[in-house]
Amino acid sequence: MGDPIVYIVDDDCSVRAALEDLLTSVGLKVSTFGSAKEFLAYPLEEAPGCLVLDVRMPGQSGMDFHRQMIEMGIGLPVVFITGHGDIAMSVEAMKNGAIEFLTKPFRDQSLLDAIHKGIEKDRERRQSQAIASALQARWASLTAGEQDVTRLVVQGLLNKQIAAQLNISEITVKVRRGHAMRKMQAGSLAELVKITEKLGL
């Protein structure tokens, strides 16, 4: 994973420049955009990040773009900034998962705190996704027979019961169960149960 990056989307170039100066002064990597369209055309980096988004912009507003991001599955945490915010807007933004809703003029430290919180949240999200992908890959490495046995094992069935249900021998159940435990990297039945729960099986 690369160094954390902050994306800034604001149609006012003087605001973009001021924010970029502030963030680079504390050692953060920054990419700035004049519109949501520009931001979408840019390939996001494989690094934890945070998006600082202006609420009012010509064309698509920040609020509309945030809703679009959710629909598109862009999980980047958002910090809203605005010169004309109201309570209803900030409530909607927070309901949609925004980290913070800052009304100009805001303290530099308030923005930095919100950004650091966003980066940390994104780092956790990426780690969770990586773990989930690794578990999915392990599950996919099992044969169909091993998956069938695993599903019944975690339901608490005995080898004899599994053999009867799948119409196979007990020896076959033991072999498939052993292979499944090894491929799923589960040291015990309890561990295997936890893994299958995480996979939603």
Side-chain angles (χ1 to χ4, degrees):
M1 239 188 267
D3 292 332
I5 179 162
V6 182
Y7 304 96
I8 297 168
V9 178
D10 195 307
D11 62 306
D12 186 330
C13 59
S14 63
V15 171
R16 290 199 303 273
L19 291 177
E20 187 169 10
D21 283 349
L22 169 67
L23 299 178
T24 51
S25 75
V26 295
L28 284 165
K29 195 172 164 187
V30 181
S31 277
T32 66
F33 308 90
S35 67
K37 195 176 173 184
E38 268 180 44
F39 171 74
L40 283 177
Y42 179 85
L44 295 184
E45 297 193 25
E46 273 309 312
C50 181
L51 172 63
V52 176
L53 185 58
D54 186 25
V55 171
R56 291 184 192 271
M57 294 185 289
Q60 190 180 29
S61 77
M63 300 293 280
D64 288 341
F65 178 55
H66 189 214
R67 282 190 287 270
Q68 186 188 346
M69 280 173 66
I70 295 164
E71 284 162 16
M72 291 171 74
I74 300 172
L76 209 57
V78 171
V79 174
F80 277 109
I81 54 171
T82 180
H84 325 274
D86 57 41
I87 301 225
M89 256 186 204
S90 70
V91 168
E92 187 192 342
M94 301 308 260
K95 268 189 185 165
N96 287 338
I99 294 285
E100 189 59 89
F101 191 94
L102 299 171
T103 308
K104 298 169 189 168
F106 46 77
R107 286 169 49 245
D108 289 352
Q109 196 54 51
S110 299
L111 177 64
L112 292 172
D113 288 347
I115 286 170
H116 284 300
K117 190 174 158 191
I119 288 169
E120 200 42 51
K121 190 178 175 189
D122 198 41
R123 187 177 275 121
E124 286 166 12
R125 175 183 69 88
R126 286 169 176 277
Q127 282 167 348
S128 297
Q129 279 180 344
I131 291 165
S133 298
L135 292 180
Q136 289 285 2
R138 284 185 217 168
W139 177 252
S141 74
L142 268 59
T143 64
E146 288 161 2
Q147 288 182 356
D148 290 341
V149 167
T150 303
R151 283 194 185 95
L152 297 175
V153 165
V154 298
Q155 283 173 31
L157 271 66
L158 301 170
N159 287 351
K160 197 195 314 188
Q161 294 169 310
I162 295 169
Q165 197 159 324
L166 295 178
N167 203 18
I168 54 178
S169 72
E170 258 189 87
I171 296 288
T172 304
V173 172
K174 281 179 186 168
V175 169
R176 288 181 184 174
R177 183 176 178 156
H179 286 169
M181 295 282 282
R182 185 172 45 76
K183 288 180 184 176
M184 295 303 287
Q185 296 172 27
S188 65
L189 177 58
E191 234 178 284
L192 187 65
V193 170
K194 271 185 197 158
I195 290 169
T196 55
E197 278 172 359
K198 280 180 187 164
L199 285 165
L201 299 174

